[in-house]
Amino acid sequence: MPTIYDYTDYRDAIRDFYLEKKKSNSKYSYSVLGLAIGLNASHVFCVVEKKRNLPVRCVPAIKKLLGLTGRAAQYFDLLLAATRTKSEKTREEILAKASLLRDVKKHYLQEKEQKYLSDWWTPVIRALIEVNQGRINAQEIAETLEPNIGVESVQESIDLLKDLGFIQPLGNGLVKLADAHINISGEERAQAIRNFQANVMQIGARSLNAIPPADRDISTLTMAVDQKGFEDIKNMIQEFRKEVQVRVDKCGKPTRVLQMNLALFPVAFNKKK
């Protein structure tokens, strides 16, 4: 079974504990688990299914059951606090504090990988290195970026790309692009991607005034659809994105780096349905 530090939602840890117990003893049930922590079976089920939170009065019992003490117990408390808050900003702050309690090496890697997913310019710099055919010059890259982020931030991203294995040295001051695996998953990765997408959308809004119309293409469409129409449009966007990726692969000598936002989201809907 994973350690508590492998979770970003304490209810997943409780679920896995229950499943492990059930695997070794078929008679182990929600009632048995509930008896140990002071809850009825239906409440335990709702906690495991993430429909309800664990009552504070049950926290000491569940930590004892999971064998959590010291730093691990503190980590559990922070996960509990993160799920109980309704503020997304507060939740992120709590999870950031929780990550500091993890194993140092693991935290170090995850911090870098989250930075790659969160800073909009790092993937752009990686693409620019391809445009420059493997040649790296932080000053030139900084002058190319729109908006400008400064030479220092560019160099930090270059170092990050090297550390994560996205660019590898070839000799003669050149590098090659390489695929690398991002070793974070679950909610942490999802949150990092959301941060990245939010930043990119802000840059898109900025480009309305900062970039001439000849160098961009931005349009909006407001529509009223049913559920089937919504699903069909989502599929059309996904297929279009694949077609764009195929076309990009055919670019022999790229001369620019583009960011394309495809956003489809509700602004009004029937909540009763």
Side-chain angles (χ1 to χ4, degrees), residues 199-214:
N199 289 335
V200 169
M201 292 179 74
Q202 290 177 4
I203 296 169
R206 177 186 179 278
S207 70
L208 286 170
N209 295 318
I211 306 297

Side-chain angles (χ1 to χ4, degrees), residues 9 18 32 52 77 81 83 109 120 128-130 157 174 184 202 247 257 261 265:
D9 191 315
Y18 170 77
V32 176
R52 298 181 68 176
D77 290 337
T83 61
L109 289 175
W120 66 265
L128 274 173
I129 292 173
E130 180 181 10
S157 290
L174 299 178
I184 55 175
Q202 290 177 4
R247 179 62 185 86
V257 178
N261 296 340
F265 51 88

